[in-house]
Amino acid sequence: MHRVRLFHTLCLALLAASLAGGCSSIPKEQRDPRDPWQPYNRAMFKFNTDFDNAFFKPVARGYQAVIPEPMNHGITNFFNNIADVTSAVNNVLQFKLSRAGSDVGRVVVNTTVGLVGFIDVATNVGIPSYKEDFGQTLGYWGFGDGPYFVMPILGPSSVRDTVGFAGDVVIDPFFSLEADEIYWGFVVVRAIDTRAGLLAAGDLMDEAALDRYVFVRDAYLQRRRNLVHDGNPPEDQDYDLFWDEDAIDE
């Protein structure tokens, strides 16, 4: 399928971008050890911000204005139900079988009683949602974060979470759809729905952050650390870069 080839191309492009980012450097005394590719990351962050302001944010605002709130909420629930499928797979891979059972229960309840997920019945009856992803699975099995990495269009990530993103694409139930037009339709609608849900948070961040890049980076890395450790990260664990920081300059 065309999207399989495109997926492979995207993975190669992200890898090439990460390697290119490693060629840039800033004075060591000014370097955050989590962010050795900061020149590339800041440039990509600016590109993503400009793209968002010019295209993605206006589309999301229009989507929010046109789609009635009940339907908007239902679409979000539908995609959350699909995410529970991916979460169930990742919980199994982490041997968190009780959580996997909860995810499966949510999918069954919301897909049947909740009309294919448009109504979140599972939350209303007290079935918890975990939303595990493949990046968290890799972290569970001891893979370090690796350097912070801003992906084109997709935004903040790390080396581990970029690999995890590729894994999540393959696990996603939509990836098995035969018709490319339907697949990409779902991808676009999900992206717009997600961006619309972040409009208010983005406005608050713009007002609060002195350096928006640093704010986003630190918030992302802290959140991912908490998610990997299920809300209880070890206080004495150093940030794992996968490789020695000094080797990047060699």
Side-chain angles (χ1 to χ4, degrees):
M1 290 185 293
H2 294 301
R3 67 169 174 274
V4 175
R5 292 196 295 271
L6 181 59
F7 172 68
H8 291 162
T9 302
L10 175 61
C11 291
L12 291 174
L14 292 175
L15 177 60
S18 66
L19 294 175
C23 298
S24 300
S25 63
I26 59 176
K28 189 171 182 178
E29 62 274 10
Q30 300 177 19
R31 180 188 302 168
D32 187 316
R34 305 168 303 172
D35 190 9
W37 301 334
Q38 188 172 149
Y40 158 81
N41 284 333
R42 281 190 177 272
M44 185 55 64
F45 179 81
K46 183 180 185 305
F47 169 81
N48 288 347
T49 300
D50 291 343
F51 179 86
D52 182 63
N53 289 334
F55 300 102
F56 212 13
K57 187 184 292 184
V59 170
R61 291 192 186 280
Y63 169 87
Q64 199 173 60
V66 170
I67 303 296
E69 178 58 30
M71 183 180 296
N72 190 348
H73 193 60
I75 292 172
T76 301
N77 289 340
F78 171 79
F79 288 119
N80 284 338
N81 189 45
I82 299 299
D84 283 330
V85 177
T86 303
S87 180
V89 174
N90 281 293
N91 271 315
V92 169
L93 293 175
Q94 297 175 44
F95 294 129
K96 298 177 181 177
L97 300 185
S98 63
R99 292 190 172 202
S102 178
D103 287 333
V104 171
R106 287 183 58 84
V107 172
V108 171
V109 170
N110 285 338
T111 302
T112 55
V113 183
L115 304 178
V116 201
F118 281 90
I119 302 173
D120 188 2
V121 178
T123 297
N124 293 333
V125 299
I127 304 178
S129 175
Y130 295 105
K131 297 298 187 289
E132 296 282 330
D133 57 53
F134 197 61
Q136 290 170 253
T137 297
L138 293 175
Y140 175 84
W141 288 108
F143 288 87
D145 304 74
Y148 180 68
F149 176 54
V150 180
M151 293 196 289
I153 307 299
L154 300 174
S157 186
S158 65
V159 170
R160 183 194 64 209
D161 288 344
T162 300
V163 175
F165 168 77
D168 284 328
V169 170
V170 175
I171 296 173
D172 193 310
F174 288 140
F175 194 72
S176 62
L177 292 174
E178 294 295 331
D180 285 342
E181 297 80 3
I182 298 176
Y183 171 78
W184 288 112
F186 277 123
V187 169
V188 170
V189 173
R190 177 159 54 182
I192 295 173
D193 180 74
T194 300
R195 183 63 186 92
L198 297 173
L199 286 172
D203 292 339
L204 289 174
M205 181 178 64
D206 290 340
E207 297 176 2
L210 296 177
D211 186 334
R212 194 169 181 268
Y213 169 81
V214 171
F215 182 90
V216 171
R217 179 194 67 196
D218 292 351
Y220 176 84
L221 293 175
Q222 181 178 358
R223 177 176 180 272
R224 294 300 296 175
R225 182 177 170 84
N226 285 332
L227 288 174
V228 167
H229 295 283
D230 295 331
N232 297 295
E235 296 181 0
D236 59 345
Q237 180 177 340
D238 293 331
Y239 188 85
D240 188 350
L241 291 177
F242 271 124
W243 54 74
D244 184 74
E245 178 190 357
D246 294 332
I248 298 174
D249 294 327
E250 296 178 357

